[in-house]
Amino acid sequence: MLTPADRERYSRHLVLREIGVAGQEKLKAARVLVIGAGGLGSPSALYLAASGVGTIGVIDCDNVDMSNLQRQVIYDTASVGTPKATAARHRLLALNPQIELVAHQVELRADNVLQLFEGYDIVLDGTDRFGTRYLANDACVILRKPLVSAAIHRFEGQAMTYVPERGPCYRCLFPAPPGEGLVPNCAEAGVLGVLPGVMGTIQATEAIKLIVGAGEPLIGRLLLYEALGATFTELKVRRDPECPICSIDPSEIKDSEMGVFPDYEAFCAAAG
Ligand SMILES: [Zn+2]
């Protein structure tokens, strides 16, 4: 039930036919997990909090670095040196004290991922670690939870929404991580500061659409944004009938297989 304070805060949502009181109540009841409070996680978590998502979890085990501030807008200069998960929690609670914020200051691993994801309805992946992407994908397939993924590189971004049984999973698109050294991380390649702002905001939009049941999610559609040319393009993607994860019964996926690839550790880049 919405309180009078909720009705005032979310009044611009309430007048939207696609959201309204029923949609805002769904947002209030929703639980969304944001993996990585970095360039993508900053705008997505801020907009989810502003939008009234009732419970937001943030996973990050890093501290704020001065070089993060060029794009990680959830932090300010005084946050430098403090843990990201707790700094993000304070900022989000200052924005919206009417919601629950959970700071998970842990590293996501095969032995804690299912337990962490279980408490949430939707997962947003904002890391640039390939290992984490596969781990998040596999856990979401097993738990049948939607995963909204985004990635950034220099001036280009991509986003897609994976909903088990409704479309392809991350491994259907990317069956194996690229070879070591082929994809440099943000620190090596550079990234336009505003780019994760665009892509993280798209992730938040997708989560809100899934929660209120409005519009067409990016299921089976890889959205590509190129900032220099100011173009959005879309690639249609099909489910891979041979996918090692989503083509089999989730109960047959062993814990030891989740997120695992040869040279798994070699692909872990620093979080962007
Ligand atoms: Zn798949």
Side-chain angles (χ1 to χ4, degrees):
M1 281 290 289
L2 297 184
T3 63
D6 290 336
R7 287 176 180 273
E8 186 180 7
R9 182 179 283 261
Y10 308 119
S11 61
R12 302 298 189 279
H13 270 171
L14 301 185
V15 296
L16 291 173
R17 185 175 48 84
E18 293 80 356
I19 299 182
V21 172
Q24 196 64 49
E25 285 177 345
K26 287 179 187 166
L27 288 168
K28 188 173 183 174
R31 304 174 61 87
V32 178
L33 180 65
V34 177
I35 311 173
L40 293 163
S42 287
S44 61
L46 282 166
Y47 275 112
L48 292 173
S51 300
V53 169
T55 304
I56 300 172
V58 175
I59 299 184
D60 207 301
C61 58
D62 282 340
N63 288 347
V64 182
D65 185 82
M66 187 62 85
S67 68
N68 296 152
L69 301 181
Q70 166 251 20
R71 63 203 176 285
Q72 301 183 12
V73 295
I74 201 165
Y75 309 115
D76 53 38
T77 306
S79 322
V80 172
T82 65
K84 285 188 173 181
T86 48
R89 180 175 181 275
H90 285 135
R91 171 73 183 97
L92 295 168
L93 276 179
L95 170 61
N96 191 347
Q98 295 169 12
I99 60 173
E100 289 284 325
L101 260 302
V102 187
H104 300 282
Q105 205 184 329
V106 293
E107 191 182 0
L108 200 63
R109 296 183 314 266
D111 63 6
N112 64 10
V113 65
L114 291 177
Q115 195 192 356
L116 278 163
F117 284 16
E118 222 144 27
Y120 295 91
D121 308 316
I122 298 177
V123 178
L124 267 59
D125 180 14
T127 63
D128 68 353
R129 296 173 199 223
F130 284 98
T132 305
R133 287 203 204 145
Y134 288 106
L135 195 56
N137 177 72
D138 300 351
C140 281
V141 170
I142 291 171
L143 297 169
R144 293 188 168 85
K145 291 183 192 285
L147 171 68
V148 185
S149 182
I152 48 169
H153 177 68
R154 290 171 44 82
F155 297 94
E156 293 162 32
Q158 61 183 47
M160 195 163 148
T161 297
Y162 306 97
V163 180
E165 287 155 15
R166 285 183 60 191
C169 81
Y170 186 78
R171 283 200 199 236
C172 294
L173 271 76
F174 306 104
E180 190 180 3
L182 286 180
V183 179
N185 62 28
C186 283
E188 294 158 356
V191 64
L192 180 71
V194 77
L195 181 69
V198 175
M199 303 316 294
T201 304
I202 289 173
Q203 286 182 283
T205 310
E206 287 290 294
I208 290 166
K209 283 161 57 186
L210 289 172
I211 293 164
V212 304
E216 289 296 325
L218 285 169
I219 298 173
R221 300 155 55 201
L222 181 66
L223 184 70
L224 304 169
Y225 171 58
E226 203 281 307
L228 290 179
T231 55
F232 279 96
T233 44
E234 193 181 301
L235 292 178
K236 290 264 185 287
V237 186
R238 285 183 203 285
R239 206 166 161 183
D240 175 4
E242 306 282 299
C243 174
I245 288 293
C246 76
S247 69
I248 62 173
D249 186 328
S251 63
E252 290 174 18
I253 303 169
K254 299 186 192 79
D255 284 3
S256 58
E257 290 171 340
M258 274 200 309
V260 173
F261 270 106
D263 300 327
Y264 167 85
E265 288 301 330
F267 299 107
C268 293

